[in-house]
Amino acid sequence: MLVISLLLFSVLSYMMFYRYFPVRTKQWSSLEVTSRYVVVDVRDYQDSSKEVCDNIVAIPCGYITRHYHDIPEGPIVVMGSNPIECNVGVRQLKRLGFQVEGYIIIESDKKCNEYLSLG
């Protein structure tokens, strides 16, 4: 019984750490992001598909492991609608070997072209 309790506690602790513990990546402002960076939008498709955004790869967190090969080479900036979404996205991309420079938080009702100017 003790072993099962410890195992259950370990699994729950890992899940809480993975989701809520902040990643060691800097939060950026929208002005710091230039066309030099690959922006990966990890918001849900309902939020990210409101407008076609140039130079932005839209892959929600749940699909990163399946579609990571669609992400071009280069330093990555993750764009999400809340810190939890950014944490999960950054952790998945780092685990797959990508160089994640930072993340930005965008409100879910904003369109990415209104928020970012990647000129």
Side-chain angles (χ1 to χ4, degrees), residues 15-112:
M15 289 172 52
M16 295 294 288
F17 173 80
Y18 184 81
R19 181 170 275 239
Y20 296 108
F21 194 77
V23 292
R24 293 179 192 241
T25 305
K26 179 183 161 195
Q27 181 175 354
W28 289 17
S29 72
S30 61
L31 301 174
E32 294 177 284
V33 181
T34 63
S35 60
R36 175 179 167 268
Y37 298 99
V38 177
V39 179
V40 178
D41 188 354
V42 296
R43 297 179 294 162
D44 289 332
Y45 278 129
Q46 291 85 0
D47 296 330
S48 65
S49 68
K50 291 179 181 176
E51 178 181 330
V52 176
C53 300
D54 300 330
N55 303 324
I56 294 178
V57 180
I59 303 176
C61 289
Y63 296 95
I64 289 175
T65 55
R66 282 185 251 165
H67 299 287
Y68 70 91
H69 56 280
D70 295 337
I71 301 172
E73 296 277 331
I76 292 177
V77 175
V78 173
M79 181 169 64
S81 60
N82 58 51
I84 295 171
E85 210 169 46
C86 291
N87 277 341
V88 172
V90 168
R91 287 184 195 280
Q92 287 180 345
L93 289 169
K94 282 187 173 185
R95 186 181 304 143
L96 291 169
F98 288 99
Q99 176 189 356
V100 180
E101 297 290 326
Y103 65 93
I104 54 175
I105 297 175
I106 182 174
E107 297 172 22
S108 61
D109 60 338
K110 288 214 175 199
K111 297 177 182 173
C112 53

Side-chain angles (χ1 to χ4, degrees), residues 2-22:
L2 180 64
V3 172
I4 293 173
S5 297
L6 287 174
L7 183 63
L8 183 62
F9 178 74
S10 298
V11 169
L12 289 175
S13 297
Y14 174 75
M15 289 172 52
M16 295 294 288
F17 173 80
Y18 184 81
R19 181 170 275 239
Y20 296 108
F21 194 77

